[in-house]
Every structure is written in C-alpha cells, then in structure tokens.
Amino acid sequence: MAWDVLSIIGTIAFAVSGAIVAMEEEYDLFGVYLLGIVTAFGGGAIRNLLIGVPVSALWEQEMMFQIALIAITAVFLFPQNLLKHWNRWGNFFDAIGLSAFAIQGALFAVQLNLPISATVVAAVLTGSGGGIVRDVLAKRKPLVLRNEIYAVWAAVTGLVIGVGLVASDVSLYILFLITTALRVVSYMKKWRLPFRTLQQTEKTA
Amino acid sequence: MAWDVLSIIGTIAFAVSGAIVAMEEEYDLFGVYLLGIVTAFGGGAIRNLLIGVPVSALWEQEMMFQIALIAITAVFLFPQNLLKHWNRWGNFFDAIGLSAFAIQGALFAVQLNLPISATVVAAVLTGSGGGIVRDVLAKRKPLVLRNEIYAVWAAVTGLVIGVGLVASDVSLYILFLITTALRVVSYMKKWRLPFRTLQQTEKTA
Amino acid sequence: MAWDVLSIIGTIAFAVSGAIVAMEEEYDLFGVYLLGIVTAFGGGAIRNLLIGVPVSALWEQEMMFQIALIAITAVFLFPQNLLKHWNRWGNFFDAIGLSAFAIQGALFAVQLNLPISATVVAAVLTGSGGGIVRDVLAKRKPLVLRNEIYAVWAAVTGLVIGVGLVASDVSLYILFLITTALRVVSYMKKWRLPFRTLQQTEKTA
C-alpha cells in the first residue's frame, strides 16, 4: 500500500519533469504528453525488456497512466503556479521516484532469479531510464550521465538488494529512506562523481 | 487488398523520407539505407514491442522490405528527378502512410484486447514512431514533437477505433480518408497545436 | 574456443570505445560505465530483440560483463598510459570485434531459419548497433552512418552467411580474417562509401 503511494508520487514527478523539458524545448502539446509519458514509463519498459518480463505488462498500470496524464495536463494548463512549487519540491518528489522505482526494479530481477548484475541494471534502468530517453528525445545530453550523483544511488540500491542484504519489508522501507536522503543531499550539496576529460579525437568508430 | 496498396504507398513514403534526411545530413550510402529502413519499419517494431507482438514478426514482411530497398535505391540514384515530384507529392503520400499505419496499428491492439490507451499508443507509434527514430539517428529534434499537427491525427484515429466507434470495413475506409485529409490540410494550412515556452532552467534531473 | 577469444577482444574494444567517448563528452564515472556497457552489449540486445531471441539471454554472458567492467575501470584509472596504445591498436581490436560479432549475429539468424534480410540485419546490428546507441547517448551523429566503410563489411558478412556460401568452421575463420582485413584497410586508406548531399529543406515530416 505504502509502495503504491510512493510509486504514484514518483510517476507524477517523472511525468512532470518530462513535460517541463518538452516545454523548455518548445515542443507542442503532443510533444509535452509524449515526453511526460516516456519519462514516467520508459524506464520500466526498458527494464522489462532487458530482464525478460513482457513489455506489454505496462498496460496493467492503467491507473498510473491516467494519473500521469492528469499531472501533465495540469502542468501544461497552469505552468506558472505549479512550477513555483516544483522548483522547491520537484527534486524531493523526483528522489522519491528514483528510490521507489529502483527498489521495485531490483525486486523484479530478484524474483526472476537473475544474477546480481541484472539486479543492479534493473534498479538503474527503472530509476533513471525514463530520464535518459526523455533527454535523447529532447536532443540533450542525458543529465544522468554527467551531473550530480543520481543513478549511482539506484545502482547501490540494486546491489544491496541483489546480494540479499535486505529482504524484509521493514528493511526495504529503511533502504528507501536512505536512498531518498542520499539523492536529496547529492542535489543540495551538488555532490559529483569523479570525471576525466579527454580531448576529443573523433577517431573512435 | 486495398489496405495492402495503402501500406505499400506508406512504406515507400516513409523509406524515402528517411533516405532524404540521411542525404541532408551527408550520411553515406549505408546511412541512407539504414535511415530509410528504420523510418519505414521502426514504428511497427516499437509498437510490436509495446503491445506484446513478437518484434521478429517484421521478417514476414519480406516484400515490403524489398519495396523499401528499391525506393531508397531510386532516390539515391536519381535524387534531382525524383525530389522534384517529392516536393509536390511527398506530403500526400506521407499522409496516406500515417493514416493507413495508424489504423493498422490500432487494429492490432484491438485484436489483443488491450485497453484504449494501448490502442491510442499503438496508432501513434505505428504512424509516427519511425520518424522519431529517424530524427534521433540524424541528431535532430523529432519533427513530430514540435511542428504541424501530425501524430495527433494518429492518436484520434486510435481513439475512434479503441472506443469501438468504427469496426466495419466501410467505416474504416471512411476513417482512413478523413485522417488523410486532416493531415494534408494541417500541412497546407500549417495548423499547429498549442505550445508553451518555458525558460530553460537546466534544473530537471 | 577461438571464437571465445575473439569475442573477448571485441567486447573489450567496444567497451573501451564507449568509455573513451564518455570521457570526451565529460560524462562522469557513471556515464563512463554506462556508455562502455551499452557499446559492448547494446548491439547484441537490439539484435536479439529483432530476431526473436529473448533479450534477457544477455545475462548468461556474466563473464563478458565482468571483462567489460574491468576494461572500463582500467581506461578510467590510467587513460594516458592506455590510450597511447589504443591509438595504435584500438582500430585493429575494434575490427576484430566487428568481424567476430557480425559472424556470430548472422549465425544466430541462420539457426532461427530467418530470411536472408534478417541475417544481414543481425550481422549489422551485432557488429555496429552498440556504437550507434553509444553515439546517440553522447549526442553525436552516429559515426557508422557517415564515415569510413564500417558496417557494410558486417552486412557483406551477413549476406555471405545468409546465402549459405560459408558454413564449415574453416570457412568461417577465413571469412573472419577477410572481414577484419577489409575493415582495417578501410580505416587505413580512409575508404568511404559514396554519398550525396542535399540541401536541407526542413520539409520532411
């Protein structure tokens, strides 16, 4: 039950972030809906594909789909009013989505008896795959690949679940709180992963 | 039978549009074929994936594949002669493809007893998914997401079929004519969907 | 056995090329791993999807996955030392990967009794699909679509296997050597496919 509430918050946050990116790129109403839906459900679709769940299982989430459509419509109709709050609360909601979806994705992989690597990939894709597709469709460099620490928290969550450290309901909730908190702190403190710069050679094929 | 003819027209129109984009981007002969094929068949592949039909069902369309290859070869060999006609007739052929593929995609979803949302998504993806992949591979912002009214007509077609308003053969042909006409008028009158501009904040993750 | 060694060389070459592109784009450590993995395994994933093998079969390649992770880690830790050698040997290793993966992909399609067109597409995607996804995620125009002759050698390999010209183990090894050599020569001599330039019209939808 509580997971359902967290999934709803995450779905709204992801759908809204897709709609905002579409409006920033001057996409039309159709583009706003498409980017919102892709951001909310794209990660789960790619995860299903990679771990062997039928992608069409998405259609059982009818209610989530309607919630996402309502959220996108609201953002399109009242952008100024809502975005004021979004700038304050958006990253918090988004962190809830990242955390809840990563746990849900990792549990999917565990149920299928897949190896630990699959658990990690399922957590990462469920948490951040939608945002990657969103950025590609907006012709942007995927934010997840270069900014603050984001998907790594999903990966760590997947690893913790994959090695079997966490299984009971209570411990999953604790894991959820820790992952959410780490993502929020990463954002507020602008924590970044190490990176290296190479001069571009245009040689790689 | 008539649907086969319409599908052939649509396949040629989509393959040619992919080949043209590839030439505009100075892609080489391989890129021209790949973009042509992806535009013609990519939408159907993604639709199959999302509604649960095996993607490999594509290989049963051997004849369509050969028609697309011939069309791409012709455009590459005689661009000047053919593009003169394309500028006049291209959007008309493309509208036929959009309309025929949207109906075909929606009927697929109906046969699988999927919900209305799936019917709409199947119509949209079959009609415009190939063009989206084409634009991503050409490093362009997908035209469908920001210009004239295009994919929305596919969505409306999917909705009309999904709610069961149209089922008989005759009414499907009427729906085809209406959708094609609406797309052609959208193009000629430059009808656009509403859109909103947001200042880019680079804050969404 | 020998094919295993060739697959390992190819996996390392593809993973390293993904990691290099990520560092050139200033992606962070997570982006480096993700682009490396996607380049090494993305082509096989798309091929599986298109020819009807479960994409989740990827998870049986646990060892390849670990080899790729080690290679990416090494490039990230010691870029200067390793890239010196990469500039000399990288394209040679990459050619081995292209050739070995194209043969492996084509054999997959033959085992499934798919038509020749599927054999060609399977060879091309296994050999070059990962590089295309890598470039899209790095917001680059896919190199494969416009530079030296690359994927065409995979297509030719797929065609030769598809029409049944080559079946015995010995002849597959000879095909491997020829494909690798042709790719290396294409690179060294900067062979290019024909291409045509069209003035961009922004009219195609």
Side-chain angles (χ1 to χ4, degrees):
Chain A
M1 175 58 208
W3 289 114
D4 286 346
V5 174
L6 297 173
S7 288
I8 290 172
I9 294 173
T11 299
I12 294 174
F14 284 17
V16 168
S17 91
I20 290 174
V21 168
M23 289 191 280
E24 286 174 355
E25 299 290 337
E26 306 197 13
Y27 285 0
D28 65 21
L29 185 58
F30 176 77
V32 170
Y33 277 106
L34 192 128
L35 246 68
I37 293 295
V38 158
T39 312
F41 300 100
I46 301 174
R47 176 209 59 213
N48 282 2
L49 180 64
L50 286 183
I51 69 175
V53 174
V55 176
S56 50
L58 283 178
W59 303 111
E60 293 157 20
Q61 299 186 289
E62 188 75 12
M63 192 190 67
M64 288 295 186
F65 202 73
Q66 287 163 2
I67 290 171
L69 288 177
I70 292 169
I72 297 166
T73 307
V75 171
F76 189 81
L77 290 179
F78 314 107
Q80 302 311 330
N81 320 37
L82 292 173
L83 290 181
K84 217 174 3 182
H85 303 289
W86 181 258
N87 286 335
R88 182 176 298 179
W89 293 102
N91 273 283
F92 181 59
F93 289 161
D94 192 89
I96 291 174
L98 174 71
S99 181
F101 287 157
I103 290 172
Q104 174 200 331
L107 292 177
F108 260 111
V110 166
Q111 278 161 18
L112 295 169
N113 290 315
L114 291 172
I116 293 173
S117 50
T119 315
V120 173
V121 169
V124 167
L125 285 177
T126 319
S128 67
I132 292 178
V133 179
R134 175 200 66 203
D135 288 346
V136 166
L137 289 180
K139 202 180 152 189
R140 296 184 174 186
K141 284 191 186 179
L143 255 180
V144 164
L145 304 179
R146 60 196 175 93
N147 253 20
E148 302 131 27
I149 305 186
Y150 187 88
V152 170
W153 298 127
V156 171
T157 303
L159 188 65
V160 168
I161 293 176
V163 298
L165 268 178
V166 155
S168 73
D169 259 20
V170 174
S171 56
L172 283 173
Y173 281 115
I174 295 172
L175 181 64
F176 165 76
L177 291 176
I178 294 174
T179 306
T180 307
L182 285 169
R183 168 56 196 152
V184 169
V185 173
S186 305
Y187 172 72
M188 294 195 325
K189 301 282 185 190
K190 298 200 179 302
W191 283 352
R192 296 197 58 178
L193 287 173
F195 64 101
R196 282 185 194 279
T197 311
L198 285 185
Q199 204 157 11
Q200 192 166 332
T201 58
E202 281 284 329
K203 263 189 192 153
T204 45
Chain B
M1 177 58 208
W3 289 114
D4 286 346
V5 173
L6 297 173
S7 288
I8 289 172
I9 294 173
T11 301
I12 293 174
F14 284 17
V16 168
S17 92
I20 290 174
V21 168
M23 290 191 280
E24 285 174 356
E25 298 290 337
E26 306 197 12
Y27 285 179
D28 65 21
L29 184 58
F30 176 76
V32 171
Y33 277 106
L34 193 129
L35 246 67
I37 293 294
V38 158
T39 312
F41 300 99
I46 301 174
R47 176 209 61 213
N48 282 2
L49 180 64
L50 286 183
I51 68 176
V53 174
V55 176
S56 51
L58 283 178
W59 303 112
E60 294 156 20
Q61 300 186 290
E62 188 75 12
M63 192 190 66
M64 288 294 187
F65 202 73
Q66 287 163 2
I67 290 172
L69 289 178
I70 291 168
I72 297 166
T73 306
V75 171
F76 189 80
L77 290 180
F78 314 107
Q80 302 312 331
N81 321 37
L82 293 173
L83 290 182
K84 218 173 1 181
H85 304 290
W86 181 256
N87 286 336
R88 181 176 299 179
W89 293 102
N91 273 284
F92 181 59
F93 289 161
D94 192 89
I96 291 174
L98 174 72
S99 181
F101 287 157
I103 290 173
Q104 174 199 329
L107 291 177
F108 259 110
V110 166
Q111 278 161 19
L112 294 169
N113 290 314
L114 291 171
I116 293 173
S117 50
T119 315
V120 174
V121 170
V124 167
L125 284 177
T126 319
S128 67
I132 293 177
V133 179
R134 174 200 67 201
D135 288 347
V136 166
L137 289 180
K139 201 181 153 188
R140 297 184 174 186
K141 283 191 186 179
L143 255 181
V144 165
L145 303 179
R146 62 196 172 91
N147 254 19
E148 303 130 25
I149 304 186
Y150 187 89
V152 170
W153 299 126
V156 172
T157 303
L159 188 65
V160 167
I161 294 177
V163 297
L165 268 180
V166 156
S168 73
D169 259 19
V170 174
S171 56
L172 283 172
Y173 282 115
I174 295 171
L175 181 63
F176 165 77
L177 291 175
I178 295 174
T179 307
T180 307
L182 285 169
R183 168 57 196 151
V184 168
V185 173
S186 306
Y187 173 73
M188 293 194 326
K189 301 280 187 192
K190 297 200 179 306
W191 283 352
R192 296 197 60 178
L193 286 172
F195 64 101
R196 282 186 193 278
T197 311
L198 287 184
Q199 204 158 11
Q200 192 166 333
T201 58
E202 280 286 330
K203 261 185 191 157
T204 44
Chain C
M1 177 56 208
W3 290 114
D4 286 346
V5 173
L6 297 173
S7 287
I8 290 173
I9 293 174
T11 301
I12 293 174
F14 284 17
V16 168
S17 91
I20 290 174
V21 168
M23 290 191 280
E24 286 173 356
E25 299 290 337
E26 306 198 13
Y27 284 179
D28 64 21
L29 184 58
F30 176 76
V32 171
Y33 277 106
L34 192 130
L35 247 67
I37 293 295
V38 159
T39 311
F41 299 101
I46 301 174
R47 177 209 58 215
N48 283 2
L49 180 64
L50 286 183
I51 68 175
V53 174
V55 176
S56 51
L58 283 177
W59 303 111
E60 294 158 18
Q61 300 186 290
E62 188 75 13
M63 192 190 67
M64 287 295 186
F65 203 72
Q66 288 163 1
I67 289 171
L69 288 178
I70 292 169
I72 297 166
T73 307
V75 170
F76 189 81
L77 290 179
F78 314 108
Q80 302 311 329
N81 320 38
L82 291 174
L83 290 182
K84 218 174 3 182
H85 304 290
W86 181 257
N87 286 335
R88 181 175 300 178
W89 294 102
N91 273 285
F92 181 59
F93 289 161
D94 192 89
I96 291 173
L98 173 71
S99 180
F101 287 157
I103 290 172
Q104 175 201 329
L107 291 177
F108 259 110
V110 167
Q111 279 161 18
L112 294 170
N113 290 315
L114 292 171
I116 292 172
S117 50
T119 316
V120 173
V121 170
V124 167
L125 284 177
T126 320
S128 67
I132 292 177
V133 180
R134 173 200 67 201
D135 289 346
V136 167
L137 290 179
K139 203 182 151 187
R140 295 183 175 187
K141 284 191 186 178
L143 255 180
V144 165
L145 303 180
R146 59 194 174 96
N147 254 18
E148 304 130 24
I149 305 184
Y150 187 89
V152 170
W153 299 127
V156 172
T157 303
L159 188 66
V160 168
I161 293 177
V163 297
L165 269 179
V166 154
S168 74
D169 259 21
V170 173
S171 56
L172 283 172
Y173 281 117
I174 294 171
L175 181 63
F176 165 77
L177 290 176
I178 293 173
T179 307
T180 308
L182 284 170
R183 167 58 195 152
V184 168
V185 173
S186 306
Y187 173 73
M188 293 194 327
K189 301 280 186 192
K190 298 198 179 303
W191 283 352
R192 297 197 60 179
L193 286 173
F195 64 101
R196 283 187 193 276
T197 310
L198 287 185
Q199 205 158 9
Q200 192 165 332
T201 59
E202 279 286 330
K203 263 188 193 155
T204 45

